[in-house]
Amino acid sequence: MSSSGLAAATERMREAGVSDLAIAVFADAYRALENNETGLIPEGSIEPLDEVTHLSELESDDIAEAAVLKRTVIIKPNGGLGTSMGISGPKTALEVRDGLSFLDITARQILALRARHGVELPLILMDSFRTREQTLARLAAHPELAVDGLPLDFLQSAEPKLRADDLTPVSWPDDPDLEWCPPGHGDLYVALQSTGLLDALRERGFRYAFLANADNLGATCDPRIPAWMAHERIPYVAEVCDRTPNDRKGGHLGIRRSDGQLILRDNAQVAPEDMDAYQDIERHRFFHTNNLWVDLDALAAALDDRGGRLGLPLIVNRKTVDPKRKDSTPVIQIESAMGSAIGVIPGARALAVPRDRFRPVKTTNELLLLRSDLYTLTPDFFISATTDGPEPRIDLGAAYAMVGDFENRFPKGPPSLRKASSLTIRGDLEFGSDVAVIDDVLITADGPRRVPDGTRLTASTDGAALPARESARV
């Protein structure tokens, strides 16, 4: 490894028109990587987060909420392609409920909030170079979403993928676009500044930004939170939820011993010897939802103090240059997390929120949950649970991992999950209509099987006894 790799990478970025600030941030991270900085956060360097204000404790009124919403903007990272689910375009274009995509539902949520409070409430997406065209085409179905003088999106930076063996920019003639990657959603702060959007928002009088992943339909703009920030002069808020055994691998907040600052620790920042403590849900009680609220004036001040570079912790993402081909060249993607900004903004706070504010879709397991009768869309297009109990644990298995295969195996819609505790499938089943899952269900099938219409799946259901499919889909 040598400086030649960095020089080659930054030259590519300049030729591609990447901003000087994004290049400088990349160079800082590259040097850290070259110096074997791991970005690890030792367990002994933090205290667990115990006492957290809960959303239900916040008090405000309609007047205060309407006033603060007039100064609020919603910004959502939208660079994900969902390649692990077999999606080639933006993941947010995927249909999730009632024939509507993530983008459709989000747009309608925003329009409903505007109507209810009489405010502009802009929605601005941070697209990647791979998601922009299709995203804007999808949003064209909602022309009333645009706010005069503000864009519907801004473009995330791009950086070269680096060969894992020598940290030089990878070459992939089969598809040169795959030589590039976005630098994680921590780039949002760099892109806001380098595009001039941060200054434009502040000049228009916007003070607060709600940041949340575009694939999390539970992440809606709750005006109580910016009203709380305004009242108590809080510069940054991170939403957290109570951890369950299913959340053991999710990132959490901790208190840095050296200065008492809240920080984010993700799975990739944990040393093997600290993994047991990291996954101890009694010790680290809350997981980080990546729903964030930022005072734009405080963000601008932090950027000014640090020369435009927040210095977010390094995340080393190891992949192959073609994510669909495990035999392609191993690469490193240099990334940072949006939520790690909590560690550089003094006075940042955590806020405990109910689980319904965290409804991401990372796999087809979550997609099945959202499409099922466990949820419904309210008239304001909010995702609402139809039961009071916890979500069942879903593990569909490899046959359902890709969206196309998932759709083929539920041609008549998802089964009822309202009485389910868990559903685990080890095999290849095609579901008929009016199927219900009762309590804990584990089905193992050696070959392609069919679940007939009207079946009630229970713990005693024998996968081998289900009828074989007449024609197995591959």
Side-chain angles (χ1 to χ4, degrees):
M1 301 180 193
S2 69
S3 60
S4 61
L6 175 57
T10 54
E11 180 60 27
R12 278 198 187 187
M13 294 173 79
R14 289 190 185 92
E15 291 175 354
V18 177
S19 73
D20 290 342
L21 178 58
I23 293 173
V25 171
F26 170 84
D28 288 345
Y30 186 102
R31 295 186 187 101
L33 176 65
E34 197 171 32
N35 290 331
N36 295 316
E37 294 183 24
T38 62
L40 297 181
I41 300 174
E43 181 69 24
S45 70
I46 60 174
E47 293 279 358
L49 178 65
D50 289 323
E51 299 300 323
V52 179
T53 300
H54 196 280
L55 178 61
S56 61
E57 300 172 31
L58 304 188
E59 296 181 358
S60 63
D61 54 51
D62 291 343
I63 296 175
E65 292 176 4
V68 78
L69 278 182
K70 289 180 180 178
R71 298 185 292 158
T72 299
V73 59
I74 299 172
I75 303 174
K76 296 203 171 193
N78 186 51
L81 293 174
T83 51
S84 63
M85 296 169 65
I87 302 170
S88 57
K91 183 166 69 170
T92 49
L94 174 67
E95 177 187 323
V96 285
R97 266 214 81 92
D98 304 345
L100 301 174
S101 68
F102 289 96
L103 291 171
D104 295 325
I105 294 174
T106 298
R108 297 183 187 201
Q109 288 174 347
I110 301 299
L111 296 174
L113 280 167
R114 289 181 184 176
R116 185 190 313 162
H117 296 281
V119 295
E120 279 187 320
L121 194 61
L123 170 67
I124 304 176
L125 301 176
M126 183 176 73
D127 282 318
S128 72
F129 60 94
R130 293 198 184 99
T131 63
R132 169 174 256 180
E133 183 177 353
Q134 292 184 52
T135 293
L136 293 180
R138 190 87 187 199
L139 289 181
H142 307 280
E144 64 275 40
L145 201 61
V147 172
D148 288 344
L150 292 176
L152 281 174
D153 84 329
F154 62 103
L155 200 58
Q156 187 175 17
S157 306
E159 64 185 26
K161 297 178 183 178
L162 305 173
R163 291 180 59 97
D165 55 1
D166 62 7
L167 297 187
T168 61
V170 72
S171 176
W172 195 249
D174 289 352
D175 186 353
D177 280 350
L178 291 177
E179 298 172 0
W180 294 84
C181 64
H185 44 59
D187 179 64
L188 181 140
Y189 307 108
V190 176
L192 275 177
Q193 187 176 35
S194 61
T195 60
L197 186 54
L198 177 59
D199 289 340
L201 288 169
R202 295 174 66 217
E203 289 168 4
R204 286 279 297 265
F206 291 101
R207 179 70 182 269
Y208 302 100
F210 176 42
L211 315 177
N213 292 342
D215 68 350
N216 179 7
L217 290 176
T220 57
C221 184
D222 190 319
R224 290 176 292 176
I225 303 175
W228 177 54
M229 295 174 69
H231 183 260
E232 299 200 11
R233 298 183 179 181
I234 302 169
Y236 182 107
V237 172
E239 296 184 25
V240 297
C241 282
D242 289 321
R243 259 174 146 191
T244 70
N246 291 334
D247 308 311
R248 290 181 301 110
K249 296 182 179 180
H252 69 84
L253 299 184
I255 303 170
R256 192 162 51 206
R257 290 179 184 271
S258 61
D259 59 3
Q261 178 74 25
L262 279 175
I263 63 170
L264 171 66
R265 183 168 68 158
D266 278 320
N267 190 281
Q269 296 170 300
V270 181
E273 62 269 21
D274 289 334
M275 193 57 70
D276 286 345
Y278 172 77
Q279 296 186 1
D280 184 344
I281 65 175
E282 299 297 328
R283 176 173 174 78
H284 297 293
R285 295 171 44 205
F286 305 100
F287 75 88
H288 187 259
T289 65
N290 217 37
N291 299 347
L292 316 171
W293 298 79
V294 182
D295 180 328
L296 295 177
D297 287 353
L299 174 61
L303 288 165
D304 287 345
D305 289 345
R306 294 166 174 263
R309 293 135 82 169
L310 291 180
L312 302 183
L314 171 71
I315 295 177
V316 178
N317 197 347
R318 296 181 181 273
K319 294 191 174 185
T320 55
V321 63
D322 185 342
K324 296 179 180 178
R325 285 186 51 186
K326 299 306 179 186
D327 62 339
S328 60
T329 307
V331 296
I332 288 175
Q333 298 179 190
I334 294 176
E335 300 180 5
S336 63
M338 180 172 71
S340 62
I342 196 170
V344 300
I345 299 182
R349 300 274 294 274
L351 180 69
V353 299
R355 191 78 181 207
D356 60 10
R357 291 188 59 76
F358 184 70
R359 302 223 184 279
V361 174
K362 302 301 181 186
T363 69
T364 53
N365 296 327
E366 292 91 7
L367 182 60
L368 181 68
L369 287 168
L370 267 184
R371 287 191 181 178
S372 77
D373 58 354
L374 288 171
Y375 298 101
T376 187
L377 282 177
T378 70
D380 287 346
F381 295 92
F382 285 52
I383 301 293
S384 177
T386 59
T387 68
D388 295 330
E391 284 184 344
R393 185 179 59 82
I394 305 296
D395 183 358
L396 297 177
Y400 303 78
M402 301 293 108
V403 168
D405 296 332
F406 172 91
E407 302 281 11
N408 286 338
R409 285 159 177 79
F410 296 105
K412 298 181 180 179
S416 172
L417 298 176
R418 295 190 66 180
K419 296 182 179 180
S421 299
S422 67
L423 171 63
T424 303
I425 299 175
R426 293 295 175 260
D428 180 358
L429 307 180
E430 180 184 285
F431 283 68
S433 63
D434 191 32
V435 174
V437 180
I438 312 297
D439 297 328
D440 290 292
V441 174
L442 166 62
I443 301 181
T444 301
D446 292 337
R449 302 283 177 175
R450 179 171 53 85
V451 181
D453 295 352
T455 299
R456 297 299 180 257
L457 297 174
T458 68
S460 62
T461 301
D462 182 0
L466 293 172
R469 291 219 303 271
E470 293 180 5
S471 59
R473 292 183 174 90
V474 177

